Amino acid sequence: MVLLSRKATCNSHGQDSSYFLGWEEYEKNPYDVIKNPQGIIQMGLAENQLCFDLLESWLAQNTDATCFKRDGQSIFRELALFQDYHGLSSFKNALADFMSENRGNRVSFDSNNLVLTAGATSANETLMFCLADPGDAFLLPTPYYPGFDRDLKWRTGVEIVPIQCSSTNGFCITKLALEEAYEQAKKLNLNVKGILITNPSNPLGTTTTQTELNILFDFITKNKNIHLVSDEIYSGTTFNSSEFVSVMEIYSGTTFNSSENTDVLNRVHVVYSLSKDLGLPGFRVGAIYSNDKDVISAATKMSSFGLVSSQTQYLLSSLLSDKKFTKNYLRENQKRLKNRQRKLVLGLEAIGIKCLKSNAGLFCWVDMRPLLSSKTFEAEMDLWKKIVYEVKLNISPGSSCHCEEPGWFRVCFANMSEETLKLALKRLKKFVDDGNSKRSCQKSESQKLKGSRKKTMSNVSNWVFRLSLHDREAEER
């Protein structure tokens, strides 16, 4: 007799991915500058810890928010009692305004079109439940965030069909790649219900270009039953906010001619979170934004299974309503992320390792193809294991992100101190130098052996020649 359900016992969670296995190894032996200086440095976790001082300073100066008071009077009981799943209007209004500010106020968001969720993971899964049935498919450009194999598929039964992107054009989405993915889904008898992108991209650290957005919108305009979901949880990490274009800006009237707007607009949805821009993944604050009232209604009901606490909403509504703080925070966050990314890129270049040119995110897409023993995914995994177990750095291999080219890795830089980043680069440099030295010795030995063989063959040839000459002289005599 089976005690648990098929869902509980199935192996489709994705926990066996090297992305998660690296985390497990880190947790067994975490680096600590005092307690465990030889431990594994976590470079596989996309956390933003660079502006905690700004957040902590605001909290210290705003005790009413932290002590659950309004105008000096306690509202603890009000927040402790039952709240319905629509969320606090003060928080939803503040979040909608912050999302607009995050995009340079080039587009506005209506708080009535927001659904609060327990993080972006819950938001993405809820959208899948709303937009697709088990066995339907979503198209995702590669490489993509490894957690999507869990978030989009595990409980919903939705399938993922990759849009194969290549390093030849910086992993940009092309019309041909999109159409090939769509045709592949049809060959598999899958009903395609949508496309999901991350903008800025995780793991590439790049913003989606206007050309790519036009390709996507042309596709969903042509195919009337297909949705476009844009996961924009890294929107505030763009080093220059003008380089980020939200899918919602397409309908601002300046970048897209919207003659058949309502239908298409209702099939465009945004996922947002405060986990990356504010560095608050532990607060579990996410949101779905959609202009489709039916989607909003269904998602609101489903949000009962992953609510954001009233206390969290109250605290963050106060923080996000402080426009002086948010303006300074967004500017300083972009500055610090850009500087930290530059330190990683320059540090890797000094070792002889290049990165994909990026303009956003908490990570770099690092090209380690020259370090592979062969151009295979087996060689990529061998290299990854050496970096985790020998170099003691947890980074994410490209294969875990479904990259079709072996040798790319996602390396995070914002979840550690600058001193820890320097140590990580020092460890990696030693590994590369030792490898180069070993290859140089092997090459030298090979050349010596080749020279020795050549000399031996030459001696044999001379001996044969002399013997032949002696034989001819003997015959003449």
Side-chain angles (χ1 to χ4, degrees):
M1 179 179 178
V2 179
L3 294 178
L4 301 180
S5 69
R6 285 191 295 271
K7 182 65 67 179
T9 56
C10 73
N11 193 31
S12 60
H13 181 273
Q15 199 71 28
D16 57 348
S17 164
S18 53
Y19 173 74
F20 293 111
L21 293 178
W23 282 22
E24 290 179 10
E25 293 307 312
Y26 163 76
E27 290 169 358
K28 294 175 187 175
N29 185 24
Y31 167 80
D32 183 273
V33 65
I34 303 297
K35 299 178 181 178
N36 191 20
Q38 303 304 318
I40 296 175
I41 295 175
Q42 175 63 291
M43 304 186 83
L45 179 60
E47 278 188 342
N48 183 2
Q49 300 181 18
L50 300 189
C51 288
F52 274 177
D53 60 311
L54 302 181
L55 293 165
E56 290 169 338
S57 176
W58 185 91
L59 292 171
Q61 297 171 27
N62 292 269
T63 53
D64 265 16
T66 57
C67 295
F68 307 126
K69 293 181 179 180
R70 184 186 297 125
D71 300 325
Q73 299 298 312
S74 174
I75 57 170
F76 172 79
R77 295 187 181 188
E78 176 184 331
L79 296 175
L81 297 177
F82 175 77
Q83 301 284 344
D84 70 23
Y85 45 54
H86 291 88
L88 301 180
S89 59
S90 59
F91 175 61
K92 292 176 73 173
N93 290 333
L95 182 61
D97 288 345
F98 182 69
M99 290 171 66
S100 298
E101 184 179 9
N102 222 346
R103 292 153 179 79
N105 291 308
R106 297 184 298 272
V107 61
S108 60
F109 291 88
D110 183 350
S111 62
N112 292 318
N113 293 348
L114 274 176
V115 177
L116 301 180
T117 63
T121 295
S122 177
N124 278 310
E125 185 187 56
T126 298
L127 270 178
M128 293 301 106
F129 276 123
C130 290
L131 305 180
D133 289 313
D136 288 342
F138 261 72
L139 309 181
L140 271 67
T142 62
Y144 62 78
Y145 166 54
F148 282 151
D149 292 321
R150 170 200 63 198
D151 303 348
L152 308 184
K153 296 173 55 178
W154 185 40
R155 298 197 298 185
T156 66
V158 170
E159 299 294 333
I160 293 176
V161 176
I163 303 170
Q164 297 292 0
C165 301
S166 165
S167 63
T168 56
N169 69 344
F171 296 98
C172 288
I173 302 167
T174 64
K175 181 180 179 181
L176 177 61
L178 177 56
E179 291 175 345
E180 287 179 344
Y182 183 62
E183 291 302 318
Q184 177 63 23
K186 289 201 294 186
K187 288 180 182 178
L188 297 171
N189 293 318
L190 295 173
N191 179 33
V192 176
K193 293 302 296 287
I195 306 165
L196 187 145
I197 63 171
T198 55
N199 181 25
S201 168
N202 176 12
L204 299 178
T206 57
T207 52
T208 306
T209 65
Q210 186 67 57
T211 299
E212 291 175 285
L213 289 172
N214 289 340
I215 289 171
L216 294 168
F217 273 89
D218 287 345
F219 187 82
I220 68 167
T221 301
K222 176 183 175 182
N223 297 278
K224 303 295 185 180
N225 297 316
I226 293 182
H227 297 265
L228 174 60
V229 177
S230 181
D231 184 329
E232 300 184 356
I233 67 173
Y234 290 96
S235 55
T237 69
T238 310
F239 307 150
N240 185 338
S241 58
S242 64
E243 295 179 0
F244 169 69
V245 180
S246 169
V247 290
M248 287 302 170
E249 292 180 53
I250 299 296
Y251 288 92
S252 65
T254 58
T255 58
F256 186 70
N257 184 8
S258 50
S259 57
E260 24 181 16
N261 294 357
T262 304
D263 171 60
V264 180
L265 178 59
N266 285 347
R267 290 186 279 118
V268 178
H269 320 278
V270 169
V271 167
Y272 187 59
S273 164
L274 297 180
S275 296
K276 309 303 180 181
D277 293 350
L278 283 183
L280 302 175
F283 278 43
R284 307 310 305 151
V285 178
I288 295 168
Y289 188 86
S290 176
N291 287 291
D292 188 323
K293 300 302 181 184
D294 290 335
V295 170
I296 291 299
S297 176
T300 300
K301 296 171 187 174
M302 291 184 187
S303 70
S304 298
F305 301 100
L307 298 174
V308 182
S309 76
S310 300
Q311 293 84 356
T312 298
Q313 291 184 57
Y314 178 72
L315 171 62
L316 293 179
S317 67
S318 300
L319 183 141
L320 296 180
S321 297
D322 186 338
K323 298 305 177 185
K324 182 178 179 181
F325 169 80
T326 56
K327 181 180 180 180
N328 178 65
Y329 180 91
L330 288 171
R331 181 176 61 246
E332 189 64 24
N333 186 49
Q334 290 174 341
K335 177 183 174 183
R336 295 184 188 185
L337 286 172
K338 183 178 181 178
N339 289 339
R340 178 60 66 82
Q341 183 256 19
R342 180 173 173 78
K343 290 182 186 298
L344 175 59
V345 171
L346 292 178
L348 290 172
E349 286 180 353
I351 302 172
I353 298 174
K354 296 181 179 180
C355 300
L356 180 73
K357 185 177 180 181
S358 60
N359 62 348
L362 311 176
F363 33 72
C364 288
W365 190 237
V366 181
D367 184 2
M368 294 192 182
R369 288 176 293 179
L371 301 182
L372 297 181
S373 58
S374 63
K375 297 179 181 180
T376 64
F377 286 109
E378 290 77 11
E380 177 183 279
M381 291 308 297
D382 287 342
L383 177 60
W384 174 72
K385 289 175 182 177
K386 288 179 181 178
I387 293 175
V388 171
Y389 295 107
E390 297 177 19
V391 187
K392 302 292 181 65
L393 304 178
N394 176 37
I395 62 177
S396 304
S399 55
S400 70
C401 303
H402 299 272
C403 182
E404 66 171 0
E405 302 173 20
W408 292 88
F409 291 79
R410 191 191 76 166
V411 179
C412 300
F413 56 75
N415 63 322
M416 66 193 74
S417 68
E418 189 171 328
E419 291 71 25
T420 303
L421 178 62
K422 289 179 180 178
L423 175 60
L425 288 169
K426 182 180 179 181
R427 289 183 181 182
L428 189 58
K429 182 179 186 305
K430 183 179 185 305
F431 173 73
V432 173
D433 288 347
D434 289 348
N436 289 337
S437 177
K438 183 178 180 180
R439 283 189 291 272
S440 178
C441 289
Q442 289 173 341
K443 184 177 180 181
S444 177
E445 288 297 324
S446 177
Q447 288 174 339
K448 287 180 181 179
L449 183 59
K450 187 176 180 180
S452 176
R453 287 174 178 169
K454 187 175 181 181
K455 185 176 180 181
T456 299
M457 291 302 295
S458 177
N459 291 338
V460 169
S461 296
N462 290 336
W463 178 77
V464 170
F465 174 76
R466 288 196 299 271
L467 182 61
S468 176
L469 182 61
H470 180 269
D471 288 343
R472 283 201 299 271
E473 289 175 347
E475 289 177 1
E476 290 175 356
R477 289 196 294 268

